[in-house]
Amino acid sequence: MDAVDRKILRILQEDASLTVAEIGRAVGLSTTPCWKRIQKLEASGVIRKRVAIVAPDKVGFGVTAQVSVQSGDHAREAVEAFIEAVRAMPEVLEFQRVAGDVDFCLRVVTVDIPHFEDFHRRLTSLMPLRRVSSYFELQQLKSETALPLSLAPGVSQRVVGGPSGG
């Protein structure tokens, strides 16, 4: 991946609805070479998908929670069944297996607290769990979907607005 690919990725992360011609103009390429680069980034899995980001509160989801889970059973079959079941729960937007004091972290949206309680009952019935902690979002202070590509390995680290005024 070269600097042009990174520029294309920055643009797509900001606005994936731009035409290939618009992206090409922004990175100094004609339409066909730009399209080929985008196709290559998609085929290689660098670009996983292009989506619209919907505001949960505008479509009726009033509760967002971070849920941490400590398993009570670490048998391979039990853990795999738990993972498969949680992946199938539509309320779960993000689901990670983590190292540390807990085994899994989830980001969950529901319409309201009674719906969250229903989700919680279904989650805790999946397997023996040692601990489940839920943290409800009061105010979203930052939410980004774009990766900070300028910080990625292999990119020159330029300080903007530093002592030289750059």
Side-chain angles (χ1 to χ4, degrees):
M1 183 172 3
D2 63 12
V4 174
D5 289 335
R6 290 184 189 278
K7 287 179 184 177
I8 290 170
L9 290 173
R10 279 191 201 101
I11 291 166
L12 286 172
Q13 286 187 117
E14 190 63 34
D15 186 356
S17 71
L18 294 174
T19 67
V20 175
E22 291 169 321
I23 296 167
R25 275 194 296 277
V27 300
L29 292 175
S30 62
T31 302
T32 300
C34 183
W35 177 241
K36 286 182 179 179
R37 283 179 178 259
I38 292 170
Q39 285 180 316
K40 184 178 175 186
L41 291 166
E42 289 175 334
S44 67
V46 173
I47 297 174
R48 293 193 308 208
K49 61 183 172 178
R50 298 188 229 177
V51 299
I53 299 170
V54 178
D57 60 318
K58 301 291 185 186
V59 293
F61 291 97
V63 173
T64 300
Q66 305 293 327
V67 180
S68 62
V69 176
Q70 187 178 39
S71 174
D73 183 353
H74 288 91
R76 173 184 252 171
E77 300 79 25
V79 170
E80 288 174 359
F82 178 77
I83 290 170
E84 187 175 326
V86 173
R87 280 182 176 156
M89 297 174 122
E91 300 92 342
V92 178
L93 300 181
E94 294 180 18
F95 179 37
Q96 297 89 18
R97 188 168 189 181
V98 297
D101 293 339
V102 298
D103 298 304
F104 301 99
C105 291
L106 298 76
R107 186 165 71 93
V108 176
V109 294
T110 62
V111 173
D112 54 22
I113 293 297
H115 283 91
F116 182 83
E117 289 173 330
D118 176 63
F119 165 80
H120 190 272
R121 272 191 296 279
R122 287 183 286 122
L123 178 71
T124 57
S125 71
L126 295 174
M127 71 182 289
L129 300 175
R130 182 170 294 152
R131 186 180 71 204
V132 177
S133 298
S134 301
Y135 305 91
F136 295 95
E137 181 181 290
L138 299 177
Q139 180 183 19
Q140 189 175 76
L141 302 173
K142 181 177 181 178
S143 176
E144 293 293 333
T145 58
L147 296 175
L149 295 175
S150 63
L151 303 178
V155 177
S156 67
Q157 302 297 318
R158 206 176 51 152
V159 177
V160 178
S164 66

